[in-house]
């Protein structure tokens, strides 16, 4: 599918169209209201916008979905970030007594950025990605999704393509949103296996006993390793990259001839896991703990645009993870173009228009609009995610009312 | 002791009920009356204990043999409860276990009053109390651990035998020191992961569906979490009721100084007067002076001047190492005169100040040399000042350079900088002592610049002359609370300490 050449210079024209007719406001509002269980949850949420010419504004907040729409259509943000739910309306934070304005809740989030893997990928570097290294994201998603669900007991995870070189995870469970800074950082550290920066050569060190979490993660990595590392990344393909691999081996066995992938006799306890360590160093997810730690940390919003690539930050359907292609994600130019294509069913709409009020009409139009574009399937993924949360909330309320003998 | 708004009726007030376990969560405040002397003594001794906990926590690996031995000794010598049964016979002349537990209880609550006031104080207090609690809990026999959990209504959900069996391999793989038999025989507890963050963070526990599966021997981590939460809340509450307590004139001075308390020898009584000659000072500054005084001495030599803060800190130190008034006057005059001050001006302006230090002017108070605590916490230096504690007040880069100039090895410098980063300034200075004297262990806990000097001289002279003096003063310091009725020496000691606390904040 052609992505329709995207030109950042067109943003000023495309964005207004996007916010007027395509951005899924009603689902977005539904998400952030979380069923209206907590009072003022949406109203006290911070948004931040990056406007044209890199003007950055924080502490934006809105009282209704309508206000959100109007403001976004007026300000036409190039980037949108979502922050925490505060104790008061963020837009009024200056009027609040100093010290009382506090971030209370926020989703637990993770940010996986391909640049963090530059030391282990040969195909690209920095902001570039390709189909060969994208596998790293697939591995990261599988490992983290399993751990967050099975180990930590979370249920409502929204995985989103960042629009350029990574993925984000929004853990939206009630319990997740209420986590303290210490808890968030503990979760992030539990999930971290790669330690060390530029000066560290051997970034993964395993010792007995191997925690079940590591074993689970290894089994994921092993599924992809051969195809990814040996074939696609070709890590044994040049002397330089072979040397890099050998550099990860503990010093005492370098004197032995090494054949990777074959059985090696265990010489001493410290050597037992070198093969696992190498696989993990090449493939295990690298997360930025600082992103996950802060309750007030701002993260790129789903369905926002990435100004450099024009791509929309779309939710990822984990059922189709193996076939997800970041280069197939629609750009704003594509969907705006799709919008302009003539429609077969235009006639009947005119009749219905007169009977509805402005907003409903607007919404209906918008729903029909995005359905005509490549955005449709991604909004569906989002819808299913919202449905699951709604069902679970209903289930909880029934449980509660049963306990209270409320019939 | 009565605290407004916190009275609780004691049901069943027999001695045994009140302190039926050697460990407690300090849930209920003490409800009796005690004398002011006991109040002071208890507080000071618990503070000594907590400071030892802090020192050992940084200088030894927690729970190593060295750590346990030293902490055990300190707990014993300060008469705090150990694992003994309540009914155990009194060691002749010693204190009963009941009395130790009572002291533990009361002293904890007194220190709460002193340490609830700022975020820093609270954090310090909670950290040391937690370390102490962890040590004492781990020291308990398994039966007593379970007793403790029951008595405090700590109901942690236990995992059923079937679940244990099905998860056995996973449990063994996640927890250090766990074997198949242990899993079968002992309880495994299931708590929400949010209550076991320390274990989660380091991946030392098995997680399933949001729950952490904790083996019996690790339960201390969970209990500690509980302890921390309760203490934190309690301190916040205490801070709120503090104004009422502070209005009590008898308590206010003590409490407001306890958090800055120095609880050791004060070097006010001059020993070795005249033993040091002025010519020796340059050499001594390189060998036996702590970094702060070496720094001050160098600045004085280079600039032929020191500002007030520096004169006080250094001047009193010199008095402490044994300079007589005449020597001091000669020392300062000869230096200042090399600078912009002529002899006349010195006699008019600065001599007075030196005599004042020696108690020969004005109030005639014989000022005591500053302890590390005072140097670190009061009167931070500004531009043009050379006083203060270099480990606290110097920019780490400059400190690094200085240490390198003084020939401290790079690895030693790094160790020092790590301690500085952790805000363990006195330990950093102690490390400096160890590196410059080429010893593994300083053998003392640094609290006072003059102590540094004395210990250094002791080490360098093979421990002869000065040792006798040091021993005597240390012995009198070690026995403050082994008597239930405060003896003359004891109360005088405590009183002296309190008196000196006042003087800490009374610069001329």
């Amino acid at each position: 599918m052609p992505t329709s050449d995207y030109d950042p210079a067109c943003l000023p024209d495309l964005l207004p169209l996007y916010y007027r007719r395509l951005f899924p406001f009603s689902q977005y509002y539904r998400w952030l209201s979380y069923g209206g269980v907590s009072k003022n949850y949406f109203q006290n949420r911070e948004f931040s916008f990056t406007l044209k010419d890199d003007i950055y504004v924080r502490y934006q907040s809105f009282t209704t979905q309508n206000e959100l729409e109007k403001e976004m259509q007026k300000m036409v943000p190039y980037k949108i970030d979502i922050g925490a739910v505060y104790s008061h309306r963020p837009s009024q934070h200056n009027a609040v007594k100093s010290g009382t304005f506090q971030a209370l809740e926020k989703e637990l989030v993770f940010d996986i950025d391909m640049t963090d893997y530059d030391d282990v990928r040969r195909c690209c570097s920095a902001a570039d990605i390709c189909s060969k290294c994208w596998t790293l994201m697939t591995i990261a998603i599988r490992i983290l999704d399993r751990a967050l669900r099975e180990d930590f007991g979370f249920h409502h995870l929204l995985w989103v393509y960042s629009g350029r070189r990574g993925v984000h995870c929004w853990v939206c469970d009630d319990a997740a949103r209420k986590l303290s800074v210490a808890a968030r950082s503990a979760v992030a550290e539990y999930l971290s296996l790669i330690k060390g920066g530029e000066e560290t050569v051997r970034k993964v060190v395993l010792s007995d006993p191997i925690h079940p979490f590591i074993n689970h993660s290894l089994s994921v990595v092993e599924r992809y390793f051969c195809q990814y590392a040996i074939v696609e990344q070709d890590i044994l393909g040049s002397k330089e990259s072979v040397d890099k691999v050998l550099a990860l081996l503990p010093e005492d066995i370098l004197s032995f001839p090494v054949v990777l992938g074959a059985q090696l006799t265990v010489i001493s306890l410290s050597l037992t896991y070198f093969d696992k360590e190498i696989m993990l160093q090449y493939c295990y997810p690298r997360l930025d703990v600082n992103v996950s730690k802060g309750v007030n940390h701002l993260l790129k919003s789903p369905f926002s645009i990435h100004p450099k690539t024009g791509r929309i930050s779309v939710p990822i359907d984990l059922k189709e993870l193996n076939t997800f292609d970041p280069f197939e994600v629609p750009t704003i130019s594509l969907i705006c173009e799709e919008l302009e294509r003539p429609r077969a069913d235009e006639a009947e709409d005119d009749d219905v228009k007169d009977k509805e009020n402005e907003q409903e009409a607007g919404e209906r139009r918008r729903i029909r609009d995005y359905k005509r574009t490549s955005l449709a399937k991604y909004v569906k993924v989002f819808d299913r995610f919202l449905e699951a949360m709604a069902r679970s909330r209903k289930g909880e309320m029934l449980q509660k009312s049963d306990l209270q003998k409320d019939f | 002791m009565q605290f407004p708004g916190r009275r609780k009726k004691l049901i069943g007030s027999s001695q045994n009920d009140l302190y039926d376990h050697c460990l407690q969560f300090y849930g209920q405040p003490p409800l009796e009356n005690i004398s002011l002397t006991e109040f002071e003594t208890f507080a000071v001794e618990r503070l000594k204990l907590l400071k030892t906990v802090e020192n050992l926590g940084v200088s030894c690996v927690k729970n190593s043999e060295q750590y346990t031995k030293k902490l055990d000794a300190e707990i014993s010598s300060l008469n705090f409860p150990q694992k003994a049964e309540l009914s155990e016979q009194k060691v002749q002349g010693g204190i009963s276990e009941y009395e130790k537990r009572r002291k533990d209880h009361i002293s904890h609550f007194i220190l709460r009053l002193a340490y609830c006031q700022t975020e820093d104080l609270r954090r310090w207090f909670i950290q040391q109390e937690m370390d102490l609690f962890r040590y004492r809990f781990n020291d308990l026999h398994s039966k007593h651990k379970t007793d403790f959990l029951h008595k405090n209504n700590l109901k942690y959900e236990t995992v059923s035998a079937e679940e244990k069996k099905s998860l056995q391999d996973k449990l063994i793989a996640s927890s250090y020191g766990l074997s198949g038999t242990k899993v079968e025989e002992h309880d495994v507890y299931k708590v929400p992961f949010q209550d076991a963050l320390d274990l989660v963070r380091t991946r030392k526990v098995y997680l399933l569906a949001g729950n952490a599966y904790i083996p019996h021997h690790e339960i201390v981590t969970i209990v500690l979490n509980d302890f921390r939460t309760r203490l934190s809340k309690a301190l916040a509450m205490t801070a709120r009721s503090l104004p009422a307590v502070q209005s009590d004139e008898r308590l206010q001075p003590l409490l407001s100084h306890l958090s800055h308390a120095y609880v050791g020898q004060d070097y006010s009584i001059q020993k070795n007067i005249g033993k040091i000659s002025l010519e020796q000072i340059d050499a001594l500054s390189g060998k036996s002076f702590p970094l702060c005084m070496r720094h001050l001495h160098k600045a004085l030599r280079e600039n032929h001047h020191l500002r007030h803060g520096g004169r006080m800190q250094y001047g009193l130190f010199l008095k402490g190492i044994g300079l007589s008034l005449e020597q001091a006057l000669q020392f300062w005059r000869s230096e200042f005169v090399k600078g912009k001050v002529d002899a006349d001006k010195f006699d008019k302006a600065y001599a007075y100040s030196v005599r004042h230090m020696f108690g020969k002017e004005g109030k005639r108070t014989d000022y005591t040399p500053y302890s590390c605590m005072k140097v670190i916490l009061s009167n931070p230096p500004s531009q043009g000042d050379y006083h203060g504690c270099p480990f606290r007040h110097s920019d780490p880069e400059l400190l690094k350079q200085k240490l390198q100039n003084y020939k401290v090895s790079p690895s030693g410098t790094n160790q020092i900088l790590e301690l500085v980063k952790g805000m363990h300034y006195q330990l950093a200075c102690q490390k400096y002592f160890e590196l410059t004297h080429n010893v593994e262990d300083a053998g003392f806990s640094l609290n006072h610049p003059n102590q540094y000097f004395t210990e250094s001289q002791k080490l360098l002279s093979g421990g002869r002359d000065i040792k006798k003096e040091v021993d005597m003063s240390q012995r009198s310091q070690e026995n403050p609370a082994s008597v239930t009725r405060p003896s003359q020496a004891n109360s005088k000691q405590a009183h002296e300490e309190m008196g000196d606390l006042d003087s800490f904040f009374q610069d001329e």
Side-chain angles (χ1 to χ4, degrees):
Chain A
M1 200 193 290
T3 50
S4 230
D5 295 338
Y6 165 72
D7 178 6
C10 298
L11 270 184
D13 298 315
L14 298 172
L15 282 173
L17 189 58
Y18 179 66
Y19 293 132
R20 247 185 319 119
R21 294 178 63 187
L22 294 162
F23 189 95
F25 283 108
S26 90
Q27 287 91 337
Y28 196 71
Y29 178 80
R30 197 177 157 207
W31 169 36
L32 296 174
S33 307
Y34 287 97
V37 172
S38 288
K39 204 163 153 235
N40 290 325
Y41 211 70
F42 182 80
Q43 289 74 6
N44 288 346
R45 169 84 67 168
E46 178 191 1
F47 296 85
S48 77
F49 293 158
T50 306
L51 310 175
K52 197 156 109 109
D53 298 327
D54 273 332
I55 299 175
Y56 182 63
V57 288
R58 268 194 77 175
Y59 300 112
Q60 304 299 297
S61 62
F62 314 98
T63 45
T64 59
Q65 178 187 329
N66 203 24
E67 192 188 327
L68 174 71
E69 286 183 35
K70 293 269 177 324
E71 285 303 307
M72 276 174 64
Q73 284 154 6
K74 192 167 84 184
M75 297 172 90
V76 191
Y78 277 39
K79 294 195 224 178
I80 306 171
D81 289 337
I82 302 180
V85 175
Y86 282 81
S87 50
H88 305 77
R89 292 192 192 173
S91 56
Q92 297 170 349
H93 72 284
N94 285 319
V96 177
K97 191 169 113 183
S98 146
T100 37
F101 179 70
Q102 288 177 10
L104 299 177
E105 295 189 15
K106 191 178 72 70
E107 294 75 9
L108 172 62
V109 295
F110 297 93
D111 180 354
I112 322 278
D113 189 328
M114 199 72 90
T115 30
D116 292 338
Y117 294 78
D118 279 356
D119 58 320
V120 289
R121 52 175 184 149
R122 296 182 68 198
C123 48
C124 313
S125 70
D128 296 325
I129 60 168
C130 72
S131 56
K132 291 195 216 146
C133 49
W134 186 258
T135 318
L136 288 170
M137 293 295 112
T138 310
I139 296 175
I141 295 176
R142 292 229 183 272
I143 290 179
L144 297 175
D145 195 74
R146 184 216 67 82
L148 289 167
R149 285 180 198 280
E150 290 177 17
D151 294 6
F152 287 98
F154 294 125
H155 299 107
H156 304 293
L157 276 64
L158 182 69
W159 285 94
V160 182
Y161 172 55
S162 76
R164 188 154 69 146
R165 59 184 193 219
V167 294
H168 300 156
C169 180
W170 295 77
V171 186
C172 301
D173 294 57
D174 212 53
R177 285 179 275 130
K178 293 182 156 72
L179 288 176
S180 65
V181 171
R184 286 164 206 259
S185 109
V187 174
E189 298 215 28
Y190 175 94
L191 298 170
S192 299
L193 279 180
I194 315 271
K195 305 269 159 82
E198 296 275 321
E199 347 69 56
T200 322
V201 175
R202 193 167 150 219
K203 297 189 165 80
V204 182
V205 181
L206 299 179
S207 53
D208 266 322
I210 304 272
H211 192 280
F213 165 76
I214 300 182
N215 276 325
H216 279 298
S217 310
L218 268 169
S219 59
V220 175
V221 169
E222 277 162 9
R223 274 198 341 247
Y224 291 89
F225 188 75
C226 212
Q227 177 64 17
Y228 165 73
I230 310 292
V231 177
E232 288 170 357
Q233 290 293 319
D234 199 20
I235 63 175
L236 299 180
S238 78
K239 180 175 189 303
E240 192 197 329
S241 65
V242 171
D243 281 344
K244 267 197 180 158
V245 176
L246 292 179
L248 298 179
L249 296 171
E251 279 175 357
D252 22 358
I253 79 165
L254 276 181
S255 53
F256 292 83
V258 174
V259 181
L260 271 179
Q263 277 301 89
L264 235 98
T265 3
V266 173
I267 299 160
S268 82
L269 209 57
S270 65
L271 301 180
T272 323
Y273 302 122
F274 77 89
D275 51 344
K276 302 197 205 291
E277 288 173 358
I278 292 175
M279 287 199 284
L280 290 173
Q281 181 146 343
Y282 274 85
C283 300
Y284 185 84
R286 296 159 183 228
L287 20 110
D288 185 350
V289 178
N290 292 313
V291 168
S292 311
K293 252 189 357 198
V295 179
N296 51 8
H297 188 98
L298 292 147
L299 188 64
K300 188 161 192 286
S301 168
F303 295 106
S304 62
I305 309 294
H306 196 299
K308 297 219 170 75
T309 61
R311 298 214 191 263
I312 311 196
S313 265
V314 292
I316 301 177
D317 184 0
L318 257 56
K319 295 205 275 286
E320 314 277 314
L321 185 57
N322 284 332
T323 51
F324 180 84
D325 181 357
F327 299 101
E328 289 295 300
V329 170
T331 60
I332 187 174
S333 5
L334 174 69
I335 57 178
C336 287
E337 195 211 53
E338 287 169 335
L339 201 57
E340 298 307 311
R341 290 194 205 133
R343 295 170 358 177
D345 50 356
E346 279 215 289
E348 63 181 84
D349 299 331
D350 292 336
D351 297 327
V352 192
K353 233 197 309 203
D354 298 324
K355 297 189 183 129
E356 300 170 287
N357 67 37
E358 262 275 355
Q359 181 177 357
E360 279 179 30
E363 243 184 71
R364 259 172 144 267
R365 212 181 304 125
R366 205 181 303 113
I367 293 172
R368 278 173 280 137
D369 281 344
Y370 80 71
K371 283 195 177 160
R372 296 198 289 146
T373 69
S374 312
L375 196 57
K377 76 172 189 181
Y378 299 102
V379 179
K380 258 216 194 91
V381 177
F382 195 45
D383 278 330
R384 271 182 258 133
F385 166 76
L386 295 173
E387 277 303 305
M389 281 211 293
R391 260 178 283 137
S392 137
R393 268 194 298 269
K394 194 160 165 216
E396 269 172 33
M397 285 195 330
L398 280 176
Q399 255 192 352
K400 256 195 217 140
S401 71
D402 279 349
L403 285 173
Q404 290 166 4
K405 309 270 190 272
D406 242 7
F407 295 110
Chain B
M1 222 182 316
Q2 294 178 350
F3 294 92
R6 280 205 286 169
R7 316 197 68 199
K8 226 162 181 188
K9 195 160 180 224
L10 256 187
I11 305 164
S13 52
S14 79
Q15 274 202 357
N16 288 335
D17 277 356
L18 189 49
Y19 297 122
D20 56 359
H21 198 288
C22 69
L23 201 56
Q24 60 164 297
F25 256 166
Y26 309 107
Q28 303 297 342
L31 290 175
E32 46 177 304
N33 295 325
I34 68 169
S35 68
L36 272 181
T37 321
E38 222 178 15
F39 189 92
E40 288 176 11
T41 318
F42 280 3
V44 168
E45 289 183 354
R46 193 183 191 85
L47 191 53
K48 278 193 190 153
L49 179 59
L50 292 185
K51 285 207 190 281
T52 306
V53 168
E54 179 187 23
N55 275 351
L56 291 178
V58 190
S59 52
C60 316
V61 174
K62 282 190 199 162
N63 300 321
S64 70
E65 214 189 290
Q66 203 190 19
Y67 181 88
T68 357
K69 236 174 50 176
K70 289 189 174 175
L71 192 45
D72 236 356
E74 185 77 356
I75 292 180
S76 176
S77 81
L78 288 171
N79 288 306
F80 280 98
Q82 287 170 296
K83 46 199 163 176
E85 295 283 349
L86 189 55
S87 57
E88 203 164 284
Q89 293 295 50
K90 232 204 250 203
V91 179
Q92 67 263 75
I95 308 193
S96 73
E97 183 65 19
Y98 173 82
E99 279 159 12
K100 292 183 186 177
R101 294 180 188 184
R102 175 177 166 269
K103 174 169 158 179
D104 178 41
H105 184 207
I106 296 176
S107 60
H108 171 90
F109 275 88
I110 301 175
L111 288 190
R112 275 197 197 180
L113 296 174
Y115 281 84
C116 65
Q117 300 172 57
T118 71
E119 187 61 49
D120 279 343
L121 289 174
R122 282 198 286 260
R123 198 181 308 132
W124 184 87
F125 183 66
I126 292 178
Q127 182 62 53
Q128 312 321 322
E129 285 284 341
M130 273 181 61
D131 281 348
L132 179 62
F133 185 91
R134 183 193 293 115
Y135 171 78
R136 293 168 66 189
F137 186 86
N138 277 334
D139 211 28
L140 295 173
H141 291 305
S142 187
K143 170 182 173 311
H144 291 136
K145 278 190 184 138
T146 320
D147 269 348
F148 180 79
L149 294 179
H150 288 164
K151 289 206 166 87
N152 286 280
N153 287 323
L154 295 172
K155 295 191 184 78
Y156 299 124
E157 194 186 321
T158 47
V159 172
S160 71
E162 304 96 62
E163 199 181 355
K164 265 200 291 182
K165 194 139 193 230
S166 69
L167 295 175
Q168 185 161 323
D169 291 332
K170 303 233 165 77
L171 291 174
I172 296 176
S174 345
S175 299
Y176 184 74
L178 201 56
S179 67
T181 18
K182 275 198 189 156
V183 171
E184 266 180 60
E185 290 174 357
H186 297 288
D187 281 333
V188 173
Y189 301 91
K190 188 159 102 171
V191 304
F193 82 87
Q194 291 92 328
D195 292 343
L197 290 182
D198 286 333
L199 293 173
V200 171
R201 180 191 312 276
T202 49
R203 215 182 298 115
K204 291 205 164 91
V205 68
Y206 179 62
L207 286 187
L208 185 62
N211 286 316
Y213 287 70
I214 323 259
H216 183 83
H217 69 275
E218 299 256 34
I219 199 65
V220 67
T221 319
I222 313 302
V223 177
L224 266 180
N225 237 24
D226 227 313
F227 183 80
R228 187 207 282 123
T229 318
R230 292 180 194 216
L231 187 52
S232 195
K233 282 200 186 117
L235 284 177
M237 248 179 38
T238 311
R240 283 199 286 272
S241 27
L242 201 58
V245 177
Q246 280 184 326
S247 60
D248 186 324
E249 292 163 352
R250 302 164 300 168
L251 302 181
Q252 195 271 335
L254 173 73
L255 291 176
S256 65
H257 293 154
L258 254 184
S259 43
H260 290 186
Y262 167 63
V263 289
Q265 194 186 5
D266 60 17
Y267 300 94
S268 59
I269 304 162
Q270 274 197 300
K271 306 170 180 76
N272 311 316
I273 304 182
K275 277 223 172 154
I276 312 253
S277 77
L278 293 182
E279 292 73 45
Q280 291 175 290
I281 294 188
D282 277 325
L284 284 174
S285 78
K287 284 191 298 182
S288 294
F289 279 15
L291 197 61
C292 53
M293 302 304 173
R294 185 173 182 179
H295 185 51
L296 278 163
H297 180 75
K298 185 152 176 280
L300 176 61
R301 286 286 191 229
E302 281 176 10
N303 305 323
H304 311 299
H305 187 270
L306 272 184
R307 286 200 188 163
H308 178 86
R311 292 201 303 273
M312 288 302 287
Q313 185 174 325
Y314 190 36
L316 288 171
F317 170 76
L318 289 174
K319 183 173 88 149
I321 70 174
L323 246 58
S324 67
L325 175 57
E326 292 67 40
Q327 285 180 303
L329 283 168
Q330 194 186 340
F331 175 73
W332 290 102
R333 185 197 284 117
S334 70
E335 203 52 54
F336 272 50
V337 153
K338 287 188 203 146
K340 299 196 192 121
V341 177
D342 62 47
D344 264 344
K345 180 160 183 216
F346 180 84
D347 287 332
K348 276 192 210 136
Y350 297 99
Y352 176 89
S353 151
V354 178
R355 283 200 299 277
H356 204 289
M357 269 188 243
F358 278 75
K360 304 283 188 263
E361 296 282 358
K363 273 204 308 237
R364 313 271 161 173
T365 316
D366 206 2
Y367 286 103
T368 52
Y370 296 174
S371 65
C372 290
M373 193 59 101
K374 177 156 194 199
V375 171
I376 291 171
L377 289 178
S378 343
N379 194 18
S382 17
Q383 196 60 22
D385 284 325
Y386 295 92
H387 63 266
C389 171
F391 300 103
R392 163 77 179 85
H393 297 119
S394 278
D395 174 61
E397 271 312 303
L398 292 178
L399 179 61
K400 189 171 168 183
Q401 271 174 37
K402 198 181 293 166
L403 291 170
Q404 282 170 349
N405 286 340
Y406 290 154
K407 311 276 191 307
V408 176
S409 72
S411 69
T413 308
N414 280 337
Q415 285 178 19
I416 292 180
L417 291 174
E418 272 308 302
L419 288 168
V420 167
K421 211 160 84 174
M423 302 208 286
H424 303 290
Y425 308 116
Q426 285 151 271
L427 291 172
C429 192
Q430 218 170 285
K431 177 61 61 182
Y432 170 76
F433 180 97
E434 285 162 8
L435 293 164
T436 50
H437 290 73
N438 240 313
V439 291
E440 281 259 335
D441 185 357
F444 64 95
S445 215
L446 181 64
N447 277 315
H448 200 293
N450 286 91
Q451 179 194 19
Y452 185 109
F453 180 80
T454 314
E455 292 290 337
S456 170
Q457 286 290 290
K458 196 166 98 179
L459 201 63
L460 294 172
S461 66
R464 280 168 293 123
D465 294 340
I466 319 200
K467 194 175 184 342
K468 190 156 159 236
E469 314 267 358
V470 169
D471 269 349
M472 265 170 40
S473 61
Q474 272 189 354
R475 220 176 296 134
S476 74
Q477 176 195 328
E478 234 133 75
N479 288 335
S482 50
V483 284
T484 34
R485 45 170 190 78
S487 72
Q488 271 280 14
N490 181 32
S491 60
K492 184 167 182 289
Q493 174 94 10
H495 187 71
E496 234 175 20
E497 286 167 3
M498 295 310 121
D500 289 327
L501 285 170
D502 273 335
S503 81
F504 284 168
F505 299 95
Q506 277 169 30
D507 266 343
E508 70 179 282

